[in-house]
Amino acid sequence: MNDKKYYYSETFNSIQGEGLYTGQWTLWLRFFLCNLQCDGFGQIDPTNPDTYELPYDSFDAKSVNRVEDLPVWDKGCDSSYTWSKKFKHLMGQKTARELVDLIKETTKTESNPVGKFLHPDSKMKAHMCFTGGEPLMRHAQQAFLEMYEEFKNDENLPKSITFETNGTQPLTTRFEQYVYNKGLFQTPVFFSCSPKLWTVAGEKAEKAIQPEVVAQYAKVSRVINSRWHTPEGQLKFVLGPKKEQWDELDDVIASFRAAGVEWPVYIMPVGATVEDQEVGAGEIAEIAFKKGYNVSGRLHCYLFGNAIGT
């Protein structure tokens, strides 16, 4: 057994709140660390860092003892606690075996006392979503491979596996070799890719937009999922109403299409809180569907409010 420990911020039992699988029962593991910061979200001018207001930066991290007690910030990354080192003391650190046991405990309810992905009453299987932070950083890929072996050892595999990624981290050779091996890997994979736009998140394209990386994801999921004919992935973008944001989106979509990524596109109104999302959401949705894109809300926010761990 590998005794390497991995940092994570939280596990929770909920639904998928965004995109294609909205509303479906999902178990979550949120890894710690990300290569992007997305400080431009919610700012008056996302392209001008001199004007940023960053509530997480001035927050006294020592004033809370649990991730669940953190506020949801309306400016900057809404999950900055998953990468900012000031919050590292709130993170858990466990081996792959321990993480699988934790997910099992998270899954347990009165009607599912053993904590199986296959619910004993409904006979429906839960999805498993790895998010972050960035769940495809090299350490997280390694953690996933070790966890999958433990899921198999427990004879407890999810319906499918989603990686909620920013689309910038190449898959390692070991990851590819493992998931291509039909004897080792037996679960559909879905890449939910959310590239970050300069005019929305304040991340420059040369760092945040990597069509060739996402094309690698598309190839991997296409090969794996050909066994089950399940969806392979989606492109998810947060947008406001400004013309320059939509112009940038058009250019970015074109670059992904040129790289061979034909996944469906979902547009989500900008805003980390329910209140922020409701301001102008209809306008953004109308722009999106008139351009031929799908629209996604954040169902978990509407159901559970502005809360972490939902």
Side-chain angles (χ1 to χ4, degrees), residues 53-65:
E53 297 177 36
L54 297 173
Y56 79 84
D57 198 33
S58 58
F59 182 80
D60 179 9
K62 300 296 184 182
S63 66
V64 297
N65 297 313

Side-chain angles (χ1 to χ4, degrees), residues 41-276:
F41 276 131
Q43 308 293 347
I44 294 174
D45 182 2
T47 66
N48 184 359
D50 292 337
T51 64
Y52 286 179
E53 297 177 36
L54 297 173
Y56 79 84
D57 198 33
S58 58
F59 182 80
D60 179 9
K62 300 296 184 182
S63 66
V64 297
N65 297 313
R66 303 186 314 152
V67 166
E68 293 82 359
D69 294 331
L70 291 168
V72 176
W73 291 291
D74 60 354
K75 293 182 175 63
C77 174
D78 61 359
S79 54
S80 52
Y81 60 92
T82 66
W83 53 260
S84 176
K85 291 182 179 178
K86 69 185 292 182
F87 300 108
K88 194 172 183 179
H89 69 288
L90 299 175
M91 301 300 110
Q93 192 179 21
K94 294 184 182 296
T95 66
R97 177 66 254 176
E98 291 169 338
L99 286 169
V100 167
D101 288 340
L102 179 61
I103 290 167
K104 186 183 295 186
E105 287 299 314
T106 304
T107 311
K108 288 181 179 180
T109 62
E110 185 175 341
S111 61
N112 187 7
V114 181
K116 290 282 190 178
F117 286 118
L118 178 62
H119 195 283
D121 291 345
S122 72
K123 305 303 180 186
M124 295 180 68
K125 259 192 173 183
H127 295 256
M128 179 72 221
C129 184
F130 293 88
T131 186
E134 171 48 50
L136 289 177
M137 294 184 78
R138 292 180 69 90
H139 70 282
Q141 291 186 46
Q142 179 61 32
F144 163 73
L145 296 179
E146 294 175 19
M147 290 179 66
Y148 191 82
E149 281 295 307
E150 298 296 344
F151 283 134
K152 286 197 302 180
N153 290 339
D154 291 350
E155 298 182 344
N156 184 34
L157 292 174
K159 180 178 181 179
S160 72
I161 290 166
T162 294
F163 295 98
E164 285 200 342
T165 173
N166 60 32
T168 64
Q169 300 297 296
L171 302 177
T172 65
T173 299
R174 184 178 181 195
F175 184 101
E176 284 192 294
Q177 290 175 342
Y178 185 92
V179 298
Y180 279 149
N181 188 320
K182 293 182 180 180
L184 293 176
F185 195 72
Q186 303 150 9
T187 308
V189 169
F190 186 77
F191 289 93
S192 180
C193 184
S194 301
K196 302 304 186 285
L197 301 180
W198 166 242
T199 55
V200 180
E203 291 287 352
K204 293 184 177 179
E206 54 264 30
K207 184 177 182 181
I209 306 301
Q210 302 290 331
E212 297 306 321
V213 170
V214 180
Q216 181 193 25
Y217 303 167
K219 177 185 175 183
V220 166
S221 58
R222 183 165 56 249
V223 172
I224 295 170
N225 294 359
S226 63
R227 288 180 260 170
W228 302 281
H229 305 290
T230 54
E232 300 161 7
Q234 64 190 6
L235 294 170
K236 232 177 11 165
F237 295 89
V238 175
L239 267 292
K242 296 178 181 178
K243 182 179 183 300
E244 59 266 28
Q245 296 173 346
W246 291 89
D247 289 343
E248 183 185 5
L249 174 71
D250 290 341
D251 291 340
V252 168
I253 293 295
S255 71
F256 283 113
R257 297 304 190 221
V261 180
E262 298 297 335
W263 294 343
V265 176
Y266 285 83
I267 305 299
M268 299 192 301
V270 69
T273 65
V274 174
E275 295 79 12
D276 288 342

Side-chain angles (χ1 to χ4, degrees), residues 70-72 272-277 300-302 304-308 310:
L70 291 168
V72 176
T273 65
V274 174
E275 295 79 12
D276 288 342
Q277 292 161 35
H300 52 296
C301 292
Y302 292 104
F304 308 117
N306 304 325
I308 290 173
T310 60

